[in-house]
Amino acid sequence: MKKDYAVVAQLADLETLEDSKAIIAGEVVFATMADDSGAHENFVRQDDRATSGNLLDQYKKDAKKLRVFVDPALLNQKGRRFAFAVDAYLAWGRRTKSKDPVIFFGGAHTSSGVNVDVLVFLDGRLEAYSERVLPHVESYTFRNSLVSLVEEYKALYNDASFYQGEPLTQWNLPEIQWVGRDALRGLRYSRVAAQATNSVSYAVPVGIALTGVALYVGAVTVGWQRLQTAGADYEIAIDNSEIRKQGGINTEYLDLMNTRRLYMEEPRKQAVLSRKAAEIAAGVAQVKEVRIMEMHLPAPTANSSAQIGLNAQSATNGAMPGSPANASGVGGREPDVLLVLSAPKSAATGLDQAEAVMAGVAQQTGLSLRLAMGGAREQDGKRVFNVEGFIHE
């Protein structure tokens, strides 16, 4: 059957191309799932192709991508538009949704042989991709090479089914099902990009940006509709008469399990305190002549009344102890840490020196601080301060 579309599989095809639109495959296109973007020298990288139609799969950190490159001769072809055969193959594979491996053979004929794209799909996702070159179909070695290729993939993928599509000619091998033109359904023709938009940053045209916004809104809408549908299905399911006879579904148990899950995922206060200990020690070390004698994490329960309260923000802004600026830092909660600090005795009163020490420590550690009742004393020519601290995280 005569094909009603043009194919560019090698550069020589451009010289004889009469149509304004053509499918590109074979030697002028290179694709790979390897991470090395420089896998094909001198070819121009295009946008990566998603290997799954599932949006959640596409946005996973380790999501697989098919990297596509084209011969630079395809750029600046005035009046011509091209469609990638591999895009159609990906769309065909996503429609299969088979739990067993599906292996598809596509590609094109060139003067050097048959360039075959081998795509392995599983449940609508592209799992593997490779390119092979077989002898010409008319060659006496073609049949043996083809059988060897099929046997190789049979050994790699148990219970696999095999398919073949255009622009290749039908091979008529019993184990390979011919899908023909259906493999090229939904092709889109456009000019070949001079660079990949998802690997090189540059200004995106307004039309493309608006299309992206529309797609984003559409994706959110579809997701919301699916959530609502799932909720409605759940309500119908739990209202089923047979389920109700068995006592129904205990949603209280589900709520309890969810509450336990949230509790287990919540950061533990002990973890925050242990991480903060090193930060506090480093911060206090920055305050001149102040040393840590003891550090208690968490702080022991003690009299919560305070002589002086000071937080990091007020220490920076110079607010006075006991002012409204300090109330948010020390009021209404139990302390997280108890610091026993020492400093050489100064000419100032014990209370004034305590204020100066806490101002420096609060600024360096980000803690809100207060001096515990009776927390200032003299010892061996030094002043010792019992200071309670509050972590803000």
Side-chain angles (χ1 to χ4, degrees):
M1 179 179 177
K2 187 178 182 299
K3 296 182 175 66
D4 57 356
Y5 55 83
V7 178
V8 173
Q10 54 194 353
L11 293 183
D13 294 335
L14 290 173
E15 300 174 2
T16 59
L17 181 63
E18 297 179 354
D19 298 345
S20 61
K21 299 190 300 182
I23 297 172
I24 53 177
E27 295 176 356
V28 297
V29 178
F30 172 77
T32 178
M33 292 180 71
D35 292 334
D36 184 10
S37 60
H40 202 295
E41 293 183 0
N42 301 324
F43 270 41
V44 179
R45 184 172 179 175
Q46 303 296 290
D47 284 347
D48 295 344
R49 271 52 170 178
T51 56
S52 171
N54 187 307
L55 287 175
L56 292 178
D57 287 345
Q58 294 178 26
Y59 287 98
K60 288 180 180 178
K61 186 177 180 181
D62 57 347
K64 296 179 180 179
K65 300 289 184 182
L66 182 66
R67 293 166 173 79
V68 179
F69 304 79
V70 298
D71 193 298
L74 295 177
L75 275 62
N76 303 320
Q77 290 284 326
K78 294 183 179 179
R80 288 175 173 173
R81 300 291 183 269
F82 300 101
F84 289 82
V86 70
D87 288 339
Y89 301 156
L90 283 170
W92 180 90
R94 293 184 191 127
R95 296 194 297 267
T96 58
K97 300 294 184 183
S98 172
K99 297 298 182 182
D100 294 323
V102 171
I103 299 174
F104 178 85
F105 298 116
H109 299 268
T110 69
S111 59
S112 58
V114 184
N115 284 62
V116 181
D117 299 325
V118 185
L119 298 89
V120 181
F121 295 96
L122 187 63
D123 197 22
R125 296 188 308 274
L126 179 65
E127 293 294 319
Y129 176 93
S130 66
E131 292 185 359
R132 302 296 179 89
V133 179
L134 301 181
H136 291 288
V137 176
E138 298 81 9
S139 170
Y140 70 91
T141 60
F142 172 77
R143 191 78 173 183
N144 289 338
S145 298
L146 176 58
V147 171
S148 296
L149 178 63
V150 173
E151 291 300 323
E152 175 186 340
Y153 277 88
K154 281 183 178 179
L156 289 173
Y157 300 95
N158 295 326
D159 301 320
S161 53
F162 295 84
Y163 298 84
Q164 183 206 355
E166 295 185 2
L168 296 175
T169 57
Q170 187 173 358
W171 293 335
N172 294 315
L173 206 63
E175 53 263 69
I176 300 178
Q177 301 181 51
W178 172 250
V179 298
R181 184 64 180 272
D182 186 59
L184 299 178
R185 192 201 312 174
L187 281 174
R188 295 184 179 182
Y189 295 85
S190 61
R191 295 183 64 181
V192 174
Q195 57 186 357
T197 60
N198 61 4
S199 59
V200 180
S201 298
Y202 67 98
V204 180
V206 174
I208 296 177
L210 292 177
T211 301
V213 172
L215 290 173
Y216 170 77
V217 173
V220 172
T221 302
V222 170
W224 177 248
Q225 290 174 345
R226 288 177 178 173
L227 176 62
Q228 289 183 313
T229 301
D233 292 343
Y234 174 76
E235 293 296 334
I236 293 172
I238 65 175
D239 196 45
N240 185 285
S241 58
E242 294 300 322
I243 294 177
R244 293 170 69 89
K245 288 179 181 178
Q246 301 297 323
I249 295 177
N250 186 353
T251 57
E252 291 183 359
Y253 177 73
L254 296 178
D255 292 339
L256 174 61
M257 295 300 293
N258 190 49
T259 301
R260 288 178 176 174
R261 178 183 63 82
L262 293 175
Y263 173 77
M264 295 302 295
E265 292 177 354
E266 185 179 70
R268 303 275 75 80
K269 183 177 180 181
Q270 293 91 328
V272 176
L273 293 180
S274 61
R275 186 182 72 251
K276 196 69 177 177
E279 298 176 10
I280 294 172
V284 174
Q286 299 298 315
V287 183
K288 188 177 180 180
E289 296 185 326
V290 176
R291 298 291 180 268
I292 298 177
M293 297 178 65
E294 296 179 29
M295 181 189 301
H296 298 269
L297 287 167
T301 304
N303 189 343
S304 62
S305 61
Q307 293 174 315
I308 296 177
L310 198 69
N311 60 35
Q313 183 66 29
S314 62
T316 303
N317 297 336
M320 293 299 292
S323 68
N326 291 326
S328 62
V330 299
R333 55 181 283 200
E334 292 296 320
D336 299 309
V337 56
L338 173 63
L339 295 173
V340 180
L341 307 175
S342 70
K345 181 180 178 180
S346 68
T349 65
L351 199 58
D352 290 340
Q353 187 174 3
E355 177 187 342
V357 167
M358 287 196 301
V361 173
Q363 187 171 359
Q364 293 296 332
T365 62
L367 296 172
S368 292
L369 301 172
R370 72 184 180 195
L371 187 66
M373 182 65 70
R377 65 184 186 277
E378 293 186 13
Q379 179 178 317
D380 299 328
K382 296 183 178 181
R383 283 190 172 133
V384 178
F385 308 101
N386 291 351
V387 179
E388 296 173 340
F390 301 81
I391 296 173
H392 303 288
E393 289 192 1

